[in-house]
Amino acid sequence: MRPQESIIGNSPALAEALEHLSNLAGINRPILLLGERGTGKELAAQRLHYLSPRWQAPLVKVNCAALADSLLESELFGHEPGSFTEATRMHHGRFERADGGTLFLDEIGDMPLSLQARLLRVLQERCVTPLGTNKSIPVAITLVCATHRRLKEEVARGGFREDLYYRLNGLCINLPSLRERS
């Protein structure tokens, strides 16, 4: 089964979300996928990637909730040797590995505020700066983010950056819950 065919269900809400996905697939702006756990946000990100002009380039996935904050920073941005105790060699981060393709940040609502600031800078400048260097590396990616959290409420309580929320919320797709699909 191809990724673009793997989202199942037959409801008007799902059909609308899938049509919205197809319409946004070629747009080179951050896309935010919202929905409860288990609604197929990762499958939707795959669909966006494989329907886009970048479909032959890498689709790199990161679960922001599954990695410790310090490890997440190195995984996303990379590092130079000596940038921290265990850094014995250069490590290309996920932004660099996704260059030319799509980077999927799952559970973006769990990303710490300090990394949200770095993510915002990457979105603004289209460059990434690995840990331990001042050298900026240009990256051309489509960023797809997903969360089950209500980010507007997270912004109000101070758990998510308002400027990043508005940058991501421009192109937003709500995936219906499984109970809403027949």
Side-chain angles (χ1 to χ4, degrees), residues 2-4 6 33 41-52 59 61 104 144:
R2 295 182 322 188
Q4 59 264 45
S6 58
L33 303 173
K41 293 181 292 293
E42 185 171 341
L43 295 174
Q46 288 176 346
R47 182 183 183 103
L48 282 166
H49 175 73
Y50 288 111
L51 291 175
S52 80
L59 167 60
K61 304 172 194 175
F104 174 55
V144 179

Side-chain angles (χ1 to χ4, degrees), residues 74-86:
S74 175
E75 276 301 306
L76 289 176
F77 303 104
H79 63 259
E80 294 288 320
S83 57
F84 53 90
T85 306
E86 293 86 23

Side-chain angles (χ1 to χ4, degrees), residues 80-139:
E80 294 288 320
S83 57
F84 53 90
T85 306
E86 293 86 23
T88 57
R89 61 181 175 80
M90 185 167 77
H91 172 72
H92 297 283
R94 303 286 178 101
F95 279 100
E96 280 186 82
R97 288 188 249 163
D99 190 31
T102 303
L103 178 62
F104 174 55
L105 298 180
D106 197 9
E107 299 303 345
I108 188 79
D110 291 327
M111 182 180 278
L113 288 169
S114 60
L115 293 185
Q116 291 176 31
R118 289 197 69 185
L119 174 59
L120 186 61
R121 176 146 329 262
V122 172
L123 292 175
Q124 291 169 342
E125 297 179 4
R126 296 274 185 208
C127 290
V128 64
T129 305
L131 296 172
T133 184
N134 291 328
K135 178 180 69 171
S136 292
I137 301 165
V139 289

Side-chain angles (χ1 to χ4, degrees), residues 132-179:
T133 184
N134 291 328
K135 178 180 69 171
S136 292
I137 301 165
V139 289
I141 61 163
T142 296
L143 181 66
V144 179
C145 300
T147 187
H148 69 281
R149 295 183 184 272
R150 299 177 190 273
L151 290 183
K152 193 165 190 151
E153 293 173 11
E154 293 292 319
V155 167
R157 71 168 194 76
F160 200 83
R161 289 181 61 105
E162 185 175 23
D163 48 0
L164 180 58
Y165 171 71
Y166 285 110
R167 177 68 70 127
L168 297 176
N169 198 42
L171 299 176
C172 183
I173 300 171
N174 287 294
L175 295 171
S177 66
L178 297 178
R179 66 184 165 280

